[in-house]
Amino acid sequence: MSAAAKVEVIYTRLMRAGSGAPFNASDACSADGETLFFIGTVCGGTVFAGLHSIVYRVTQTGELVALHQGPAKLLELAPDGARIAFAVADRETGRDRLVVMTEDGAVDHDIQSDGRIEQVDWSPDGTALLVLVAGAGTDTTTLAGSTGTDAGRAIEPWRPAIDDGTPDPEDWRRLSVYRLGEAGFDPSLSVKGMIWEASWTGDAAIAVLLSERSGEAAWYRAVLAKIDLPSLGVRTLYVPQDQIGQVRGSPDGSKIAFIEGVASDRGLVCGPLKSINADGSQLKILATDDIEITAVTWRGPALHLAGQRGLVTVIGDHDLSSNGFRERWFSDQWSCGAYVPVSRPVGADGAVAIMESQTGAPRLALIGDGAFETIIRFADGDDRNDVITTPIRWVAPDGLEVEGLLVRPADANGPMPTVVDIHGGPVWAYRARWEGRQRATPALVAAGFAVLYPNPRGSFGRGQDFARRVHGDMGGADTGDILSGIDHLVAQGVADPARIGLTGSSYGGYMSAWLPKLRPQIAAAVSISPVANWFSQHFTSNMPVLEEIFIGGSPGVLGQEYLARSPAMSKAKTQAATLILAGALDRCTPIGQAIELHRALLEQGSTSVLVTYPQEGHSVRSPRGFIDSATRTLDWFCKHMAP
């Protein structure tokens, strides 16, 4: 059977292709734990037929009721639980709609926005909705492909785009308020600056993450501010050392909670939980034991939280007192949320989340103290005994303990061909995640490969000191963390030293190109959306500040350091056969990076194949692109390091 056929069989099962039933879900919410809502993802007749989303209500008997079919996102439940609101994406025009619906599916309101809706938030009294709208000139996050909307900007095909260094009016994100019963959005809400996140703080103020400039790089220097209504007065409350995420104003308007931590990607902030009074006084770090927080929601006067402690996902609550954290559930085998742990409060002490494990299909679950109850299981593949997932730990060359996950066939004997899958970021982390999210891993393991998921220094969940170890040293000591993990598996008799492969996207794509320069014995690599030349990356990427943070300065000051850590500029010959996968529309690691890497490898006589996806952005994410990239990855490793 060909690689394409194998991948299609696996993902037909995982995605329940042709069944008409959801195989995954997001944005689960419930007021009482009896009536639940979520957005389900449904696959067409084949894995190539495309995906669509459906807003569902789950009845008390477990029946699924489809309330809305279409590209829905950002599902939010009204404070009284009587209505839901969500955005409906219009990919052709980039102008999304805000829909408000009763629990029986009756549409109360359907309002056209003037851009891409990125956040929806109910006012505490339930009479209004705050909507964050991105203009046509803004880019999506790296998690969404790092592409631009640009809808309607080029009226005629020949018309040039002009960049003179000043922001276009469409380069900004704007706040809008829709008050139930009105004909449209309130046009009066306009403040100066770029708003990245927003949350009601009581009914008369809005907490925002704000920067003076537009553009993705400005997010890294955004500050916490408050907008008073109706005066629109803006007051800066806190200037962070690192990055801020999950800005959440309290329902009574007295406090604002948020996360601050070392971050490399907008939307992925993991770190200490903090609170500040709405007048800017009494900034506090709220103790959460050794757990770094990834998701924050108010539960009345207290906070509901999800986070990570190493490889362990944790869900809990905090009453804002000095010893107010209560851990409700944790596991290193199960997790929740697509990119970071996420859950939402239900009632006085429960929670709802989409739970998953390596081979445990995503499921809608209610979480109590120490356990969760599955309400609906989505994808197929539960209770499999042919795959083993094991947390592992090893020691880096400088004595630092590093951890990761090893996925391998249960019946494997002796040293195996092993693929090291390196996460993006560099500030991100692996945890228990469903195999359907892991591109080629299900097919690789089925073919007899082991897959190592390392969390080198810089990964979150191990504290800010651990994350900060990659500041100013990306491509330095972190390489030793990964290479020593390979050495550990070889010493344990798990990995065959002659059949070691590397893969990963973004930072993982960079490492997949960089490590073969340091370890010639690497047999093969699949580098996805890589950085090949940090110097040219800095001047072509939409987020050049990232290199300044993680290499340690600007290229004008550290030019030699930029070049010294660039795979395309290295004199060392890459022995590894390298497959490069990249999206032509990527603004984070532009396609030029993949081209530079490919041509540098060919020039030095190395084996290299470049595959460019013309309609893809960062990391190759569309259903067709994802399946195709998984197929090419499996085929490449089977060809160059066959089981």
Side-chain angles (χ1 to χ4, degrees), residues 488-544:
H488 174 75
L489 292 183
V490 170
Q492 294 292 312
V494 173
D496 180 349
R499 293 181 293 172
I500 301 295
L502 303 170
T503 190
S505 179
S506 195
Y507 169 77
Y510 161 63
M511 279 294 188
S512 299
W514 184 228
L515 291 177
K517 299 288 187 179
L518 309 178
R519 180 69 65 88
Q521 294 79 12
I522 301 296
V526 178
S527 181
I528 307 171
S529 301
V531 172
N533 180 347
W534 287 111
F535 199 91
S536 59
Q537 163 75 4
H538 180 82
F539 292 108
T540 57
S541 171
N542 66 352
M543 40 198 289

Side-chain angles (χ1 to χ4, degrees), residues 83-302:
R83 290 186 177 95
I84 55 173
F86 53 90
V88 177
D90 188 330
R91 296 185 178 91
E92 291 187 4
T93 67
R95 299 176 69 239
D96 298 345
R97 302 186 344 257
L98 175 67
V99 175
V100 181
M101 183 180 286
T102 63
E103 69 172 36
D104 62 0
V107 177
D108 276 356
H109 309 274
D110 191 335
I111 309 299
Q112 182 76 57
S113 77
D114 61 353
R116 183 180 69 246
I117 297 178
E118 293 189 338
Q119 192 174 356
V120 175
D121 190 40
W122 283 94
S123 63
D125 63 8
T127 65
L129 285 149
L130 180 66
V131 179
L132 180 61
V133 180
T138 59
D139 294 347
T140 61
T141 67
T142 54
L143 306 180
S146 193
T147 59
T149 304
D150 292 325
R153 302 191 89 194
I155 299 173
E156 298 173 311
W158 64 267
R159 189 176 297 277
I162 300 172
D163 181 359
D164 62 0
T166 59
D168 186 281
E170 292 299 319
D171 291 347
W172 301 89
R173 288 170 172 81
R174 303 173 296 278
L175 284 180
S176 296
V177 171
Y178 175 68
R179 302 188 186 281
L180 301 188
E182 298 294 326
F185 289 106
D186 184 347
S188 65
L189 186 55
S190 178
V191 297
K192 184 179 180 181
M194 177 71 109
I195 297 174
W196 301 96
E197 293 185 26
S199 170
W200 288 102
T201 303
D203 296 307
I206 300 169
V208 295
L209 185 60
L210 180 70
S211 63
E212 292 183 2
R213 299 176 60 85
S214 63
E216 285 296 298
W219 174 80
Y220 293 85
R221 299 289 183 256
V223 303
L224 181 67
K226 186 183 72 168
I227 303 171
D228 288 315
L229 301 177
S231 69
L232 300 185
V234 179
R235 178 181 178 184
T236 298
L237 302 180
Y238 176 64
V239 178
Q241 175 187 2
D242 295 306
Q243 286 70 50
I244 287 178
Q246 296 285 301
V247 174
R248 301 288 185 264
S250 65
D252 66 4
S254 65
K255 296 182 182 298
I256 301 166
F258 60 95
I259 304 165
E260 181 181 355
V262 176
S264 52
D265 295 79
R266 179 163 65 91
L268 290 180
V269 180
C270 176
L273 175 67
K274 297 185 177 183
S275 73
I276 192 170
N277 288 346
D279 62 3
S281 64
Q282 292 188 328
L283 175 70
K284 294 181 179 180
I285 299 176
L286 301 174
T288 55
D289 297 336
D290 54 354
I291 299 153
E292 293 200 291
I293 305 303
T294 55
V296 179
T297 313
W298 285 94
R299 190 202 297 268

Side-chain angles (χ1 to χ4, degrees), residues 427-440:
V427 186
W428 196 20
Y430 285 123
R431 57 197 163 93
R433 298 181 81 216
W434 175 51
E435 59 183 338
R437 301 188 193 277
Q438 297 174 349
R439 205 178 300 266

Side-chain angles (χ1 to χ4, degrees), residues 479 483 486-487 496-502 511-525 570-578 601 604 606-607 640-641:
T479 65
L483 293 174
I486 296 172
D487 294 338
D496 180 349
R499 293 181 293 172
I500 301 295
L502 303 170
M511 279 294 188
S512 299
W514 184 228
L515 291 177
K517 299 288 187 179
L518 309 178
R519 180 69 65 88
Q521 294 79 12
I522 301 296
S570 172
K571 294 180 180 179
K573 182 175 180 178
T574 295
Q575 303 294 336
T578 303
L601 291 173
Q604 68 179 13
S606 301
T607 299
H640 294 284
M641 39 186 282

Side-chain angles (χ1 to χ4, degrees), residues 273-634:
L273 175 67
K274 297 185 177 183
S275 73
I276 192 170
N277 288 346
D279 62 3
S281 64
Q282 292 188 328
L283 175 70
K284 294 181 179 180
I285 299 176
L286 301 174
T288 55
D289 297 336
D290 54 354
I291 299 153
E292 293 200 291
I293 305 303
T294 55
V296 179
T297 313
W298 285 94
R299 190 202 297 268
L303 291 166
H304 177 70
L305 309 168
Q308 198 162 338
R309 180 178 59 221
L311 298 170
V312 178
T313 296
V314 182
I315 293 173
D317 289 280
H318 205 299
D319 66 10
L320 278 70
S321 66
S322 58
N323 296 305
F325 179 69
R326 178 181 177 186
E327 188 173 301
R328 294 190 175 276
W329 175 90
F330 69 92
S331 175
D332 64 354
Q333 297 296 313
W334 290 88
S335 191
C336 52
Y339 295 104
V340 294
V342 174
S343 66
R344 297 203 200 187
V346 174
D349 54 10
V352 62
I354 307 299
M355 305 297 295
E356 62 186 64
S357 71
Q358 174 67 33
T359 56
R363 76 244 0 253
L364 178 68
L366 289 172
I367 303 160
D369 286 349
F372 67 82
E373 174 191 0
T374 296
I375 305 301
I376 296 172
R377 182 173 65 84
F378 299 121
D380 291 334
D382 264 5
D383 302 322
R384 293 172 52 200
N385 57 13
D386 58 335
V387 177
I388 295 176
T389 303
T390 309
I392 63 170
R393 291 172 177 82
W394 63 92
V395 177
D398 62 358
L400 184 70
E401 184 180 73
V402 186
E403 60 187 12
L405 292 168
L406 178 67
V407 183
R408 61 184 178 88
D411 59 355
N413 293 313
M416 292 176 285
T418 301
V419 174
V420 183
D421 194 324
I422 305 162
H423 64 63
V427 186
W428 196 20
Y430 285 123
R431 57 197 163 93
R433 298 181 81 216
W434 175 51
E435 59 183 338
R437 301 188 193 277
Q438 297 174 349
R439 205 178 300 266
T441 294
L444 287 168
V445 174
F449 290 83
V451 179
L452 171 65
Y453 290 102
N455 283 338
R457 67 193 70 202
S459 302
F460 57 53
R462 297 277 302 275
Q464 291 300 290
D465 289 343
F466 188 85
R468 210 175 298 280
R469 285 176 179 264
V470 79
H471 261 199
D473 191 37
M474 181 168 54
D478 49 349
T479 65
D481 297 346
I482 299 169
L483 293 174
S484 61
I486 296 172
D487 294 338
H488 174 75
L489 292 183
V490 170
Q492 294 292 312
V494 173
D496 180 349
R499 293 181 293 172
I500 301 295
L502 303 170
T503 190
S505 179
S506 195
Y507 169 77
Y510 161 63
M511 279 294 188
S512 299
W514 184 228
L515 291 177
K517 299 288 187 179
L518 309 178
R519 180 69 65 88
Q521 294 79 12
I522 301 296
V526 178
S527 181
I528 307 171
S529 301
V531 172
N533 180 347
W534 287 111
F535 199 91
S536 59
Q537 163 75 4
H538 180 82
F539 292 108
T540 57
S541 171
N542 66 352
M543 40 198 289
V545 70
L546 185 138
E547 295 88 62
E548 295 184 17
I549 295 173
F550 292 101
I551 292 181
S554 69
V557 175
L558 294 176
Q560 290 303 313
E561 195 67 27
Y562 273 61
L563 297 179
R565 300 185 186 222
S566 297
M569 307 304 292
S570 172
K571 294 180 180 179
K573 182 175 180 178
T574 295
Q575 303 294 336
T578 303
L579 173 65
I580 306 164
L581 308 176
L585 305 181
D586 189 350
R587 299 194 183 189
C588 171
T589 56
I591 186 62
Q593 293 298 308
I595 294 171
E596 285 192 51
L597 177 60
H598 175 57
R599 292 182 179 174
L601 291 173
L602 292 179
E603 189 172 285
Q604 68 179 13
S606 301
T607 299
S608 177
V609 173
L610 170 61
V611 178
T612 303
Y613 295 86
Q615 297 300 315
E616 291 282 352
H618 196 60
S619 294
V620 187
R621 299 173 185 275
S622 73
R624 275 185 172 273
F626 188 87
I627 297 297
D628 184 80
S629 63
T631 298
R632 293 180 186 278
T633 299
L634 173 64

